Amino acid sequence: MPVLRPFRGVRPAEEKAPAIAALPYDVYNREEAKRVVERNPLSFLKIDRAETQFPDETDLYSQEVYERAGQTLKEMICDGSFVRDEEPCFYLYALTFHGRTQTGIVGCAAVDDYLSGAVRKHENTKEDKEKDRIRHVDTLNAQTGPIFLAYRQQAGLKGIVDTVKCSDSIYDFISEDGIRHQVWKIGTDTEEDRARQRKIADIFSNMECVYIADGHHRAASAVKVGLKRRREYPDYDGTEEFNYFLSVLFPAEELRIFDYNRVVTGTAEQTLEELLERIRENFQITESASEIHPRHKGEIVMYSSRRWYRLTVHEELYKNDPVDDLDVSILQNYILDPLFDIKDPKTDPRVQFVGGIRGIGELVRLTDSATDGESKAAGDPALRVAFAMYPTSMDELLAVADSGRLMPPKSTWFEPKLRSGLFIHMM
């Protein structure tokens, strides 16, 4: 029975929203983030990645960087770049990408629901990646990056969403990457809106659970700051803002997962012919003279030495298991581990992960350029192989989360990405 409650959002002044809204902090490296802020001084990256305001030699994780982020947020509130709604609100956030629209409800989910499993996960988190966002949230006393959640569609929610979207939006702009962003507010000004707020909260409270689609580290960090606040304020009663974390919840049927592909380096001793011979033990192989793409689950496209192969997994390998039957698991368990000795793809330096949004051409570029470079530098270059997979489905993601299991690393790539800076939850 997950809790979702409205909050007094800090959000951009309407005319500044297009400039402030920024992609999540973790899609950029330091140099890329700095270039964005130099080009657009209003970008929320100067808060999410405050090292962009310091010389390059400054330690990314020094306390002065986090302090600068907090100071910048205060300054932008004071100069009117951000405003704060007077009453607790829900918001609708619609993103339109390649003709598809997904509309989420923005509110605050409960720390206790995360701890109890009413907010279900499908990925592990790493403590070292959490530390940065813990310090960021703790220093700002605010959550600036919403957690991307999903729920199974509810007719009552769809009715509310469709009705509110017929009214005037508070934001409507197209970002540099061509994505349209629209936001509506559901406040308390009218009895109709107050009734909508009550119905939204009631419908979520009657669900069994919601799911983290993307943002596992942001969620874990926000929860850990909430628990830290509870230790600091032992007389808390559960209504305090630190007991909740900023979320955008989308119906699962509206979400699209892109493929998450791999480029793998083998050894100089392993030839392509030898690799194919071993792959044939578990896959049917069809060679193609031209570029091909995975057409369905159970089909993996392999590219190496400017040759294309369609790998179709033997049916007897399926175990009726929500994790082992994922294509990313099939690749790991029957190719990467036994044929490349890659036990942990997330930490093995021989594996590069390539989001499907970058296209299969990026796999070709990485495979060919690396091989060409190695050929010039050494007489016996290592084998370089790319694997493209059919995207993991939302049904597969929900099944893994419902089973209490975890997906292999880098199983899903969600697009479009939620913008940071459109909603801030003050703790």
Side-chain angles (χ1 to χ4, degrees), residues 154-375:
Q154 306 286 317
L157 288 178
K158 188 177 188 308
I160 293 173
V161 168
D162 290 345
T163 299
V164 172
K165 287 177 67 176
C166 291
S167 63
D168 292 334
S169 60
I170 56 175
Y171 306 132
D172 189 346
F173 63 91
I174 297 176
S175 52
E176 289 181 353
D177 52 4
I179 297 169
R180 184 182 184 186
H181 303 264
Q182 297 168 278
V183 175
W184 295 262
K185 183 172 74 169
I186 304 174
T188 59
D189 292 341
T190 67
E191 177 53 40
E192 191 173 38
D193 273 347
R194 291 191 291 272
R196 287 178 179 137
Q197 283 199 7
R198 291 191 296 269
K199 187 171 182 181
I200 289 170
D202 183 61
I203 291 174
F204 276 104
S205 72
N206 283 289
M207 294 182 190
E208 182 180 355
C209 63
V210 295
Y211 303 84
I212 299 179
D214 200 11
H216 284 77
H217 283 90
R218 289 194 294 276
S221 301
V223 167
K224 288 184 178 180
V225 174
L227 295 177
K228 178 175 181 288
R229 291 287 190 276
R230 289 180 175 184
R231 293 191 297 271
E232 293 168 346
Y233 300 96
D235 294 332
Y236 75 92
D237 61 16
T239 63
E240 299 85 356
E241 293 297 333
F242 58 70
N243 293 292
Y244 301 86
F245 57 92
L246 179 63
S247 303
V248 187
L249 299 97
F250 295 89
E253 64 185 29
E254 293 183 3
L255 301 180
R256 181 181 180 187
I257 302 176
F258 283 74
D259 41 312
Y260 217 149
N261 303 313
R262 281 89 165 121
V263 175
V264 181
T265 303
T267 65
E269 292 74 27
Q270 184 181 38
T271 68
L272 177 58
E273 287 68 28
E274 290 169 342
L275 177 64
L276 289 169
E277 187 61 32
R278 297 186 66 187
I279 288 175
R280 280 192 182 91
E281 297 173 9
N282 295 304
F283 297 82
Q284 177 185 333
I285 301 178
T286 306
E287 187 170 356
S288 173
S290 58
E291 178 179 304
I292 52 178
H293 300 254
R295 299 169 298 184
H296 51 73
K297 177 177 170 57
E299 189 172 273
I300 298 171
V301 165
M302 178 176 131
Y303 175 79
S304 186
S305 302
R306 294 179 171 79
R307 294 155 66 182
W308 296 88
Y309 305 89
R310 198 179 296 280
L311 314 181
T312 305
V313 64
H314 293 167
E315 286 293 329
E316 61 266 24
L317 296 186
Y318 288 114
K319 304 175 181 178
N320 196 29
D321 183 278
V323 176
D324 290 343
D325 289 352
L326 296 170
D327 281 3
V328 288
S329 297
I330 296 287
L331 176 67
Q332 175 62 32
N333 295 338
Y334 294 100
I335 296 180
L336 299 190
D337 184 354
L339 308 187
F340 290 89
D341 195 32
I342 292 171
K343 306 298 183 185
D344 184 353
K346 197 168 185 178
T347 60
D348 197 307
R350 294 172 294 161
V351 181
Q352 287 179 270
F353 296 98
V354 184
I357 190 67
R358 298 171 70 181
I360 207 162
E362 181 67 4
L363 296 179
V364 173
R365 186 190 72 80
L366 290 171
T367 305
D368 289 350
S369 62
T371 301
D372 290 345
E374 289 163 358
S375 296

Side-chain angles (χ1 to χ4, degrees), residues 28 34 63 78 93 113 126 139 174 182 208 272 283 303 348 353 358 377 381 388 398 400 411 419:
Y28 297 102
K34 190 165 188 176
Q63 186 57 30
C78 289
Y93 180 19
D113 288 336
K126 297 180 70 174
T139 302
I174 297 176
Q182 297 168 278
E208 182 180 355
L272 177 58
F283 297 82
Y303 175 79
D348 197 307
F353 296 98
R358 298 171 70 181
L398 300 182
V400 171
S411 294
R419 263 31 181 200

